[in-house]
Amino acid sequence: MKIRKSHIALLLCALLCLSCSHRALHEAQSVVAEADSLRTVGQLYPDSTQLAQTYTTLGNWQYFYPDDYAHACYHYGRILRNKDNPAEAMQAFINATHSRTKDYHILGRVYSNMGTICHLAGEFSLSYEMYKQSADFFLRNADTTLYYLGVNNMAFEAAELKKKNLSLTLIQNIQDHCTNDYALAKSLETKAELYRKLEQYDSAIVCINILQSMDYQEPAGFLIKAQAFDELGVADSALYYAESVLAMPYISIEERYNVLYITTHYNPSIDNAELLQQTSHRADVGIEMDHKHAKNTKAAELLNQALQHKPYQKSMWALGISLVISFLLAAGLIGFFAYKKKELKGKTIQELHKQRIIQNNQRVLTEENDLLKEQNLQLKEQQTRHNEIRLQQIHKNFDILKHSNNILGDINWKNYDKLCDFINHHFFLCADKLKATQVLSEKEIRLLILVLLGFFTDKQMAEILYYSNKTIRSTKRNIAIKLGTTSANLHSWLVDLAIQ
């Protein structure tokens, strides 16, 4: 009788713990729902302490409520970023990517925040990859506006890396297919920044002039103009646009630091005392910017470390903790029915635990395999959509060139470097991909470009390249063999190379 009472007490304690846990879960879910509502109107959840508790609570339930947990990670990460704690924010965002949620919208926002932190750390290649992940998730969610804004972020990081062809290709993709005015304006702003980075200052100014004629008045455009005029030595214009930036209510610390350089060098109306004050102020801003950069660098290092491991490894640890909690509750139930020894047929509690561990491990492996299969399928579908978009653009470019009165002039045939630049820009780096094979001469690449365009007969190609009709056919055949294809399939092979 005593044994039964103790078992009942143990069971009641387990049920009480479970009840309290469920109450905390429902409260956490309510906080997430409210934070989602506030985000739609551009506001952060006001109680950081309660949001931190929500993040912890849902972390214990993440395998049952992965969507709620991912949202909690996102909102907690946002509030940590707002409190200038990018490292902990990055960890929250990383946890969201491991949550197994299928809420592609929230994952798009999570990866976008990770990309911004990496950008502020100066890790532009890593930032590009995060923005690419963000754009892909928005595309899966059929949110074309956020997708093209993500593509613009990718183009901006490519501009930071001075990857001209890549940046221009991404920008052209936006301008050809996007209909959202804001995304189109941001792409033009990115093009201006690319030209500034490439020291093509006149082109940068032209882009911003077009933007400002559309009543686009964000500080980044004025800053680009100020810096371009500064580099061109037009002091009055540089000072005008720099002071315009300073007069705006919301500018970043980087924008403030950059324009203060111009205002302290080109303003003839300030005396030495005020100049010294402005110089000192810029130095203080620079110190603050360095501190922020160091914090963001630490956050980017966390992401780099996380990328060294498979996403599910930490999840397996979390799953193990969840299983331990489940086993503790199960132990109470097993104890309650321990008196039914005949039904247990001599099996010990340890043996039952062992069996359950094996069963749960098998279940976890099955779930992981299913997850990997689903992810592979999604990646294949995404790649298919990506290739279809590129193929449509290639055929569009074919049509434009087909109606040209001077195709060779349009593609800069006489200048090999400019010819390759043209093909790279309009056919997704196809010329560079051919060069990368390291088995083709300049003349062979020129022939392949003519084959890719598909407008020329063998006779015409022979005349352009100064081959005989017989030689052009044998040359095509030999090149095709080098590339692992046939001369009859060479055009299709080149199109496939371009869209890859």
Side-chain angles (χ1 to χ4, degrees), residues 329-470:
L329 292 174
L333 295 173
I334 292 170
F336 179 68
F337 295 106
Y339 65 93
K340 296 184 178 182
K341 294 182 180 180
K342 292 182 180 179
E343 295 182 12
L344 294 176
K345 296 180 181 180
K347 291 184 178 180
T348 64
I349 292 176
Q350 288 78 9
E351 289 172 336
L352 289 173
H353 283 181
K354 184 177 179 180
Q355 290 178 0
R356 294 187 179 208
I357 290 173
I358 293 172
Q359 292 170 356
N360 277 287
N361 284 342
Q362 290 174 340
R363 177 176 58 81
V364 170
L365 288 173
T366 301
E367 290 178 355
E368 293 294 344
N369 286 333
D370 291 342
L371 177 62
L372 288 173
K373 288 178 182 177
E374 183 178 348
Q375 288 175 338
N376 287 334
L377 180 60
Q378 290 171 348
L379 287 173
K380 288 180 181 177
E381 291 175 350
Q382 175 190 339
Q383 186 63 44
T384 299
R385 289 195 298 270
H386 176 74
N387 289 348
E388 287 173 352
I389 291 171
R390 285 196 165 191
L391 185 59
Q392 290 172 3
Q393 185 61 47
I394 286 173
H395 284 298
K396 181 179 178 181
N397 292 340
F398 284 157
D399 289 339
I400 293 171
L401 287 173
K402 188 175 182 180
H403 293 90
S404 170
N405 294 323
N406 182 16
I407 294 177
L408 296 181
D410 290 341
I411 66 176
N412 302 305
W413 177 259
K414 293 183 179 180
N415 186 314
Y416 180 64
D417 290 335
K418 290 184 178 180
L419 170 65
C420 290
D421 286 343
F422 180 91
I423 296 301
N424 283 334
H425 179 64
H426 294 282
F427 296 97
F428 304 103
L429 305 179
C430 189
D432 284 351
K433 292 173 184 177
L434 290 172
K435 292 177 183 178
T437 63
Q438 297 183 345
V439 298
L440 300 169
S441 66
E442 175 184 331
K443 199 167 186 179
E444 288 173 328
I445 290 176
R446 284 179 176 273
L447 172 57
L448 289 172
I449 289 173
L450 296 178
V451 174
L452 169 67
L453 296 178
F455 308 137
F456 305 97
T457 64
D458 283 353
K459 181 179 180 181
Q460 290 172 324
M461 287 189 284
E463 291 175 353
I464 294 170
L465 292 165
Y466 304 106
Y467 284 132
S468 68
N469 287 343
K470 184 176 179 181

Side-chain angles (χ1 to χ4, degrees), residues 108-124:
R109 290 188 175 276
V110 164
Y111 276 103
S112 180
N113 275 266
M114 293 165 75
T116 300
I117 292 173
C118 293
H119 172 82
L120 294 173
E123 295 283 347
F124 303 128

Side-chain angles (χ1 to χ4, degrees), residues 276-291:
L276 182 62
Q277 183 180 2
Q278 286 195 14
T279 304
S280 177
H281 174 54
R282 183 172 186 265
D284 291 340
V285 173
I287 292 171
E288 183 183 356
M289 193 167 65
D290 288 343
H291 287 324

